Each structure stands twice: as structure tokens, then as C-alpha cells.
Amino acid sequence: MLLRRCAGKVVPFLFRNISTTIRLSAEDLFVHRDSSDNNAQTPFEFTEPNMARIAALVQNYPAGAQRSVLGAALDIVQRQIGWVPISAMHKVAEILSIPRVRVYEWATFYTMVKRRFRGKYHVKVCITTPCMIRGSDIILRAAEEATCCSVGGLSPDKMFGVDTVECQGACVNAPMFVVDDDYYEDVNVCDVYNIIKAIKAGQIPPIGPQ
Ligand code: FES
């Protein structure tokens, strides 16, 4: 046990300043807690076109291997309503005839599954090593400031949600961040402000290396 001297006494060292890394609310990645808008009774039904898409995808796999469509089905949920409530996971399990836990496993492993509403535009800043050594902490702060949104939260107008993510496979152009499906690579602080400003103005900034 580490000890320190306090007012002349030796006491346990309870607070160690090992790192200044911000708290990332990692529990969000794997824990579901029922809320008023995300519980087993939250209304969710696939639209007819989306049901047809899932049925077509199932045909791509051998009989009995319909679980292979799981990732695509969750992606379809997300594109239909913007995020994936637990009731939609249950619907996917029902349609694919697989245990609910298989859907939970998938949805809690992959960070691209938004298990709560993350704003109209979901800003994801990569903080894995190559991006980190190229200044992802500064990029993250700029993203928070430009969107008026703390990591893990929503902006007051619910336009943006900001999260940290692990490697997005664009390390060669680190640091980078993602807005929904669009990659913005090799960014500096000014790029972050300009990209968010353009999105606020209803524009789609040029994607890729900046
Ligand atoms: S570490 Fe950021 S994209 Fe790979």
C-alpha cells in the first residue's frame, strides 16, 4: 500500500495522479440499463422495405446460417431509426431465430452499434496509439468544443454526440475522426472546427485526408 504524510501522520495514499486521461464512460460499451426510451417495450418494427432487405440477405447464406445476417440486420435498424434500442435487438433475434444473447454480444462488442441516441451527427474521435501520438487528445478537445458536447454526451440542440473510438483503420493518416460514415483524416485543430462548422451549416465537407 502506498503511504503519504498528511498533517504529520502517515496515511494511505488514496488518490494517485497517474494519468490525466479523461473519463471515457467505458461502461456504456457493454452495460444496458433500462431507461424510459430504451427498454424491452420500446416500440420498434422494421419497415417493409427493410424486412425485405433482411430476407434477401438471409438468402445469401446456407439454410440454418441466418445468424450471419446479424451485423447487417443491426446496421439496418440503425439506419432506420438512428440507433439500436434493446427492443430492436429482440426483434432481430426473433427474425433470425437466434438467442437474444447472441445479439447482445454483437451489439456490445462493436462500437459502431449505437445503443443510445447519439445525436443527428455522431462524431467519433479515434484515440488508439497512432492517433494518440499524433495528438488525438487535442483533436478530441477541439471536437468537444466545436460541437458544444462533452465526450459521451449530446450537444444542447441534440445535433451532435461525441464519443471516443478505437482504431478506425486509417492510422496512416492519423489523427482522424469520423462523422457517421465519413472519415476525416490527417486533421489538425482548425480542420475540426471547419468541418463541424460546415456540418452545422448543412454542408458535407470533403471527406478523407485534409
Ligand atoms: S489508430 Fe486511429 S485510425 Fe488507427
Side-chain angles (χ1 to χ4, degrees):
M1 177 187 293
L2 286 173
L3 300 175
R4 67 191 170 102
R5 189 168 291 281
C6 177
K9 294 180 184 169
V10 175
V11 295
F13 206 125
L14 298 177
F15 304 102
R16 292 188 296 160
N17 291 323
I18 295 173
S19 163
T20 57
T21 304
I22 55 171
R23 187 173 167 273
L24 298 177
S25 303
E27 186 184 83
D28 279 357
L29 289 178
F30 52 85
V31 175
H32 168 81
R33 297 194 195 286
D34 273 355
S35 62
S36 57
D37 65 345
N38 188 3
N39 56 66
Q41 277 70 49
T42 302
F44 175 81
E45 289 294 339
F46 282 108
T47 61
E48 268 185 42
N50 281 343
M51 275 301 289
R53 287 179 69 198
I54 292 174
L57 287 166
V58 168
Q59 297 304 313
N60 291 336
Y61 297 93
Q66 71 277 9
R67 67 180 182 281
S68 303
V69 177
L70 174 52
L74 288 175
D75 187 61
I76 289 171
V77 171
Q78 193 157 279
R79 289 176 195 281
Q80 180 176 311
I81 62 170
W83 63 295
V84 182
I86 196 165
S87 56
M89 292 187 211
H90 295 170
K91 178 60 74 177
V92 168
E94 180 191 319
I95 289 172
L96 300 181
S97 304
I98 56 177
R100 289 177 175 179
V101 69
R102 294 285 172 248
V103 186
Y104 301 157
E105 287 168 348
W106 212 99
T108 54
F109 183 80
Y110 293 106
T111 54
M112 70 267 247
V113 178
K114 292 187 261 184
R115 294 191 295 105
R116 58 195 173 95
F117 179 63
R118 301 304 299 120
K120 185 175 176 190
Y121 299 99
H122 191 200
V123 178
K124 295 163 279 187
V125 180
C126 175
I127 57 164
T128 302
T129 313
C131 284
M132 188 257 292
I133 60 178
R134 295 272 295 152
S136 64
D137 52 341
I138 301 168
I139 299 303
L140 177 58
R141 292 227 168 85
E144 288 182 300
E145 198 172 298
T147 57
C148 301
C149 173
S150 300
V151 67
L154 287 174
S155 60
D157 57 4
K158 300 199 174 5
M159 194 168 180
F160 294 99
V162 175
D163 284 299
T164 56
V165 288
E166 300 303 328
C167 182
Q168 299 291 291
C171 327
V172 70
N173 283 330
M176 60 83 70
F177 71 103
V178 185
V179 180
D180 295 335
D181 291 336
D182 296 335
Y183 278 30
Y184 298 97
E185 305 164 24
D186 221 350
V187 290
N188 59 32
V189 168
C190 288
D191 295 326
V192 176
Y193 284 104
N194 290 337
I195 289 164
I196 299 297
K197 190 174 164 191
I199 292 172
K200 282 181 181 172
Q203 298 160 4
I204 301 174
I207 60 173
Q210 302 297 301

